[in-house]
Amino acid sequence: MKLRPYKVKISCFVVSMKTDLESKKHLKVAFWIGAILFLITAIKSHGYYHADEHYQLIEFAGTLLGTHQELDLAWEYGAQIRPSIQIFIAAAFISSSNFLGIEDPYHQALILRLLTALLSLLVIRKLVAHLHSFFTSKLLRILFIYGSFLIWFIPYLGVRFSSESWSGIFFCLGLVSYWTSISKVSIKLACLGFYFSLAFLFRYQIAFAEIAVLIFWLYKKEISWKGLVYFSVSFLLVLTAGIALDCFYYGEFTLAPWNYFASNILESKAAEFGISPFTYYLEKLLYFPSLPLGILLYTSLITQFVIKRNVVIWAFLVFLIAHSLVGHKEERFLFPLVLLFPFLLFYGYELLLQKTKSVPFRKSILSILAICLAFTSLIGLPTLASVSGGKGHMSLTKYIHDKHEEEVQLIYMNWSHPYMPFGRMAKFYAVDPIESIHIQHICDLKKEMIDPKKTTYLVLRIYDLEHEGCSERLEEFGFQQIKSSPPDWANKLNEFYGGYKNYETVLLYEKVETS
């Protein structure tokens, strides 16, 4: 009888070891499947999801490379509100690529996406290695492991060389550095301060989540006020270095974080780009991941908040509320926490299962989770792994770039110019020489516009084709459609999940010889 407790302990230890080995096996498989998808997505995802990803990073890097002047850049340069650390990273890799003979801008942008993909994969692996132990249900643990790499939008956002992605990467690195097995608390807090400061320098708004984490851990007494000194010293040292970089970049003393706050909050500059209601993000969280996953996410979040709040959901809720209080809203503002989405999605169901051990619908809950994850990812993953970033303008410019053998003439309609869809030239990608001719309507297209000595392209939106009339002129003048951004099959899938407006798709036509 006395040996029974030891038998129980040994039995539990064996089960724990077996579970841990199985989890490591699944983590390895999920990592390599994820790596393949991240690689494919990085290769195919030309361009940018949002204009800021390009115009405020890669274009800004041109000032360091000697290819751009202030007049070439967005207004944020003159306002000195963009942190420069990521601009220096872009400039360093582009410069290194030029030194190695890799001068194609599309290949240089790909290198930046591959760098982001590598960082994302390593951070996801670290997150999963720590957080999978929170799941006692075998199926939930497996869903969490694979979902962390394979939820349909994670590879797509995980390769973006954007401030949102890089801020989220280093925020999560801060969390895993604190969760690590290092016994010395001072080193943990110093690492936490280092990564949190970098996350802040990539995107200032991450401060809301960082403050939430610190308050939660102070409240739970996981860190002490005295220990916070190590965090603060590390954070301030990195922040000071970041400010020094900003001063060097802008050529004078400046405080970019303050400039950002003064411009967008005190002067309401951000509000000029539109104001959305407080409930904007609540709606986006329901529909953006797809309605099935959105419903499951809400259920999980409510369950976690009611049963057992943790540092991840606390950081997410504070981050969400803070952004909801600001007038100008965009779904990308929540992207810094996208790598934590799988935990937020699944952990609520772990708590629910723990509370309903004798309820017969437990298996049904897991089945619904598995089916929704498989269904959305089987559609979303191949779609986003095959299309360019955002509205796909850069897939059109890449086609022109790859075929560019002589002078190019580009006839374009409103909102369709692939090199300057937002009214400003993407100089990094622009071919030279290129002649741009703007027309308001298809009916304005005339034969005398076309220079027979140049390769002539015409770009317009599906909306123009369906609403303008005179579409017969395209065939009459010898224009053939050669590219759609996104492709037709992606538009058909988009009718199901509604990720963008199909009528905004830009079509590329090329003038061919007619008999």
Side-chain angles (χ1 to χ4, degrees), residues 148-448:
S148 294
F149 294 93
L150 304 176
I151 288 178
W152 65 274
F153 51 82
I154 286 181
Y156 178 77
L157 297 179
V159 306
R160 305 254 64 85
F161 185 74
S162 66
S163 62
E164 293 86 7
S165 292
W166 277 62
S167 182
I169 286 170
F170 283 89
F171 174 74
C172 290
L173 269 175
L175 293 178
V176 294
S177 71
Y178 186 78
W179 289 331
T180 187
S181 58
I182 297 175
S183 57
K184 202 165 184 179
V185 177
S186 59
I187 296 178
K188 282 187 176 184
L189 289 171
C191 290
L192 182 67
F194 175 80
Y195 289 122
F196 271 20
S197 190
L198 284 174
F200 176 77
L201 288 173
F202 286 116
R203 186 164 182 83
Y204 303 133
Q205 295 91 326
I206 198 66
F208 296 121
E210 294 176 343
I211 292 170
V213 168
L214 294 175
I215 292 174
F216 184 86
W217 281 342
L218 284 168
Y219 175 75
K220 292 290 185 179
K221 297 184 179 178
E222 293 190 32
I223 60 177
S224 65
W225 288 101
K226 182 180 178 181
L228 208 57
V229 173
Y230 298 105
F231 170 89
S232 302
V233 170
S234 178
F235 187 96
L236 290 173
L237 284 173
V238 176
L239 180 61
T240 301
I243 292 173
L245 274 181
D246 294 341
C247 295
F248 178 82
Y249 177 71
Y250 290 110
E252 62 185 29
F253 178 78
T254 189
L255 291 174
W258 169 255
N259 297 340
Y260 184 92
F261 176 78
S263 179
N264 286 314
I265 304 301
L266 300 182
E267 299 172 15
S268 301
K269 184 70 176 178
E272 296 178 9
F273 298 95
I275 296 178
S276 302
F278 180 84
T279 56
Y280 174 89
Y281 291 117
L282 298 179
E283 180 181 347
K284 287 296 180 181
L285 284 171
L286 183 62
Y287 290 102
F288 186 84
S290 76
L291 185 58
L293 286 184
I295 294 172
L296 291 171
L297 173 66
Y298 267 96
T299 305
S300 177
L301 292 175
I302 293 170
T303 302
Q304 291 179 67
F305 185 79
V306 172
I307 296 178
K308 188 178 181 181
R309 289 175 288 280
N310 56 76
V311 70
V312 175
I313 190 175
W314 180 247
F316 172 76
L317 290 176
V318 172
F319 192 73
L320 176 67
I321 293 170
H323 279 76
S324 297
L325 292 171
V326 178
H328 179 61
K329 301 175 179 68
E330 298 177 34
E331 65 268 11
R332 68 186 176 98
F333 292 168
L334 298 185
F335 290 174
L337 299 188
V338 73
L339 299 186
L340 295 171
F341 180 90
F343 183 79
L344 293 169
L345 174 63
F346 292 115
Y347 187 59
Y349 296 96
E350 168 65 27
L351 297 176
L352 193 61
L353 292 181
Q354 291 177 8
K355 291 289 183 179
T356 57
K357 291 184 178 180
S358 59
V359 178
F361 62 73
R362 286 164 51 87
K363 289 185 178 179
S364 300
I365 294 175
L366 297 178
S367 298
I368 291 172
L369 273 170
I371 291 170
C372 287
L373 179 63
F375 181 68
T376 55
S377 292
L378 285 174
I379 295 175
L381 281 174
T383 301
L384 292 182
S386 305
V387 299
S388 291
K391 296 177 182 177
H393 293 97
M394 291 302 112
S395 67
L396 306 184
T397 64
K398 187 176 189 304
Y399 178 88
I400 296 172
H401 171 82
D402 291 345
K403 286 198 65 178
H404 180 53
E405 297 175 353
E406 53 190 28
E407 292 186 9
V408 171
Q409 184 181 51
L410 187 67
I411 304 172
Y412 69 99
M413 296 183 63
N414 295 336
W415 303 105
S416 65
H417 197 312
Y419 289 101
M420 51 179 188
F422 306 102
R424 183 174 293 279
M425 180 65 71
K427 190 174 179 181
F428 177 75
Y429 291 109
V431 297
D432 186 35
I434 183 169
E435 177 191 4
S436 295
I437 302 173
H438 176 243
I439 58 174
Q440 289 284 354
H441 310 283
I442 298 178
C443 299
D444 296 334
L445 185 64
K446 296 179 175 58
K447 285 187 177 180
E448 51 265 31

Side-chain angles (χ1 to χ4, degrees), residues 92-108:
F93 276 88
I94 293 172
S95 179
S96 299
S97 299
N98 288 328
F99 178 76
L100 295 172
I102 306 172
E103 298 179 349
D104 189 311
Y106 296 90
H107 294 163
Q108 293 174 344

Side-chain angles (χ1 to χ4, degrees), residues 5 36 73 124 235 255 293 359 374 407 420 455 472 484 503:
I36 294 170
L73 306 176
I124 293 172
F235 187 96
L255 291 174
L293 286 184
V359 178
E407 292 186 9
M420 51 179 188
T455 302
E472 69 278 359
S484 172
Y503 66 79

Side-chain angles (χ1 to χ4, degrees), residues 25-39 121 125 149-150:
K25 180 181 177 181
H26 284 295
L27 176 55
K28 183 180 291 187
V29 173
F31 176 83
W32 287 111
I33 295 175
I36 294 170
L37 281 168
F38 271 69
L39 176 61
L121 283 165
R125 186 184 179 95
F149 294 93
L150 304 176

Side-chain angles (χ1 to χ4, degrees), residues 1-14:
M1 294 293 292
K2 290 182 180 180
L3 293 176
R4 188 171 299 168
Y6 294 98
K7 288 182 179 179
V8 172
K9 287 181 180 179
I10 292 171
S11 176
C12 291
F13 177 71
V14 171

